[in-house]
Amino acid sequence: MKSDADRVPATEWLREAAAQLAQTDSDTPRLDAELLLAHSLGVERGHLLLDMQRSLTPPQCVVADRLLLRRATGEPVAHILETRAFWAHDFKVGPASLIPRADTETLVETGLRHCSESRSVRILDLGTGTGCVLISLLSERPHALGIGLDVVQGAVDLATENARKLGVRNRATFRCGDWFSALEPQDGPFDLIVSNPPYIPSADIEGLMSEVRNYEPRLALDGGPDGLDAVRHILKTAPSRLVPGGSLALEVGVAQAAKVASLAACEGYQCVEIAKDLCGIERVVSARWDTS
Ligand SMILES: C[S@@+](CC[C@H](N)C(=O)[O-])C[C@H]1O[C@@H](n2cnc3c(N)ncnc32)[C@H](O)[C@@H]1O
């Protein structure tokens, strides 16, 4: 017969788990431990924190310990939980695509500034991944329609599932292919093109945190020798897919914004602007394309 002596107080499990994770690359050991325990118990983290008197049965301990081991060996919390909060929603994530980053919310904010609330605007999201950017824009602009493209079929599948779950599937189309070549003749022209392309210089990939280097797909990171291969391609090709007066907004890496802004101006874009993220880093370059 099981007795209370077999049970482990949640506070004790959390203390030991956080101490173990503090010995790893995790920057947030206590938070990670709380998220893993809540997930293993099938409750929200807030719920767990409100009921810290609870104790874990042996089977609950086994499940929580298994998740802890995965985290301790470097797997990102988002992959273990299969979800990440971004903008106003929880997005399903997986190995096929980048885990949405808080920095990328700056791209959504910039996109919204370029997107009319009343008109039925068309939006193109290049390298859509989980669909987090396009789906967030569509959720804020109920009259907008969008297309999300990605070269990885697994990412397209994730984005499609997220769009369905978050109630915008009827306004979002996802296709697999290499940048603009995945578009069909009837697609567009677009009022807004957004992209968070791969922008890490190839030589810097090895120096990334192990969690990123080992678990994020290289296709989502590697931007070529100076990180700007995809950015250059998008800057050159986007005008043929924009309405006159349409906008392009690109997320960029640390210290890339001035260079990208100058590339945009050289290509003939107007009203080139740079937006900072919450850490004060220049994160998004936006511009307008006007043929007049
Ligand atoms: C930095 S991730 C951004 C993912 C998502 N938009 C986000 O912000 O979280 C870049 C995305 O571009 C996609 N990608 C890379 N090369 C591509 C190509 N040639 N054509 C289309 N998508 C590409 C990757 O698969 C990846 O999903």
Side-chain angles (χ1 to χ4, degrees):
M1 203 172 89
K2 301 266 183 250
S3 73
D4 275 0
D6 298 320
R7 299 176 76 106
V8 175
T11 46
E12 190 180 310
W13 190 92
L14 284 170
R15 194 171 47 249
E16 286 179 12
Q20 190 175 331
L21 293 179
Q23 310 297 317
T24 69
D25 281 350
S26 170
D27 291 334
T28 51
R30 174 74 192 196
L31 174 63
D32 293 1
E34 289 170 0
L35 288 167
L36 295 177
L37 182 57
H39 184 70
S40 72
L41 295 172
V43 299
E44 296 287 325
R45 172 171 164 257
H47 215 92
L48 172 71
L49 297 181
L50 284 175
D51 181 16
M52 292 298 270
Q53 298 311 314
R54 76 167 75 212
S55 56
L56 314 182
T57 62
Q60 285 173 331
C61 260
V62 169
V63 176
D65 286 347
R66 243 183 239 143
L67 300 189
L68 176 61
L69 179 65
R70 288 171 64 184
R71 180 67 191 122
T73 48
E75 192 170 344
V77 173
H79 279 182
I80 300 172
L81 272 48
E82 295 184 2
T83 184
R84 170 54 60 92
F86 177 87
W87 199 252
H89 310 285
D90 286 331
F91 286 85
K92 180 169 182 188
V93 304
S97 187
L98 191 85
I99 298 166
R101 304 286 201 275
D103 304 336
T104 304
E105 294 183 344
T106 310
L107 181 60
V108 176
E109 276 166 8
T110 305
L112 288 174
R113 279 204 300 279
H114 288 268
C115 233
S116 160
E117 279 190 56
S118 50
R119 274 194 315 117
S120 166
V121 291
R122 286 168 198 264
I123 303 169
L124 173 64
D125 178 19
L126 296 162
T128 198
T130 55
C132 60
V133 175
L134 180 63
I135 291 169
S136 301
L137 288 168
L138 292 180
S139 70
E140 299 289 338
R141 293 288 182 267
H143 302 294
L145 301 172
I147 297 181
L149 306 177
D150 206 287
V151 75
V152 177
Q153 182 61 49
V156 170
D157 295 342
L158 265 180
T160 306
E161 191 177 337
N162 279 321
R164 188 175 301 118
K165 191 179 88 173
L166 299 171
V168 299
R169 180 72 186 94
N170 59 340
R171 294 186 287 124
T173 303
F174 295 99
R175 299 224 184 91
C176 188
D178 184 12
W179 300 130
F180 296 87
S181 66
L183 288 173
E184 292 178 1
Q186 75 276 12
D187 293 335
F190 299 94
D191 300 271
L192 171 66
I193 298 179
V194 288
S195 184
N196 172 16
Y199 52 64
I200 311 284
S202 309
D204 293 356
I205 304 264
E206 274 312 300
L208 294 174
M209 284 169 60
S210 60
E211 192 173 323
V212 178
R213 192 180 62 236
N214 298 334
Y215 287 91
E216 302 279 23
R218 188 153 181 138
L219 266 175
L221 304 173
D222 193 342
D226 68 349
L228 299 180
D229 280 4
V231 166
R232 283 194 191 84
H233 176 65
I234 293 170
L235 282 171
K236 270 206 182 317
T237 318
S240 64
R241 291 293 187 165
L242 282 169
V243 298
S247 300
L248 172 66
L250 294 173
E251 177 168 325
V252 297
V254 173
Q256 291 178 339
K259 175 85 188 281
V260 173
S262 119
L263 288 171
C266 287
E267 286 292 338
Y269 288 85
Q270 292 151 18
C271 310
V272 180
E273 288 175 11
I274 294 175
K276 292 183 178 173
D277 65 21
L278 285 177
C279 297
I281 293 170
E282 294 184 331
R283 186 56 70 189
V284 173
V285 176
S286 64
R288 247 176 231 290
W289 183 260
D290 214 330
T291 41
S292 59

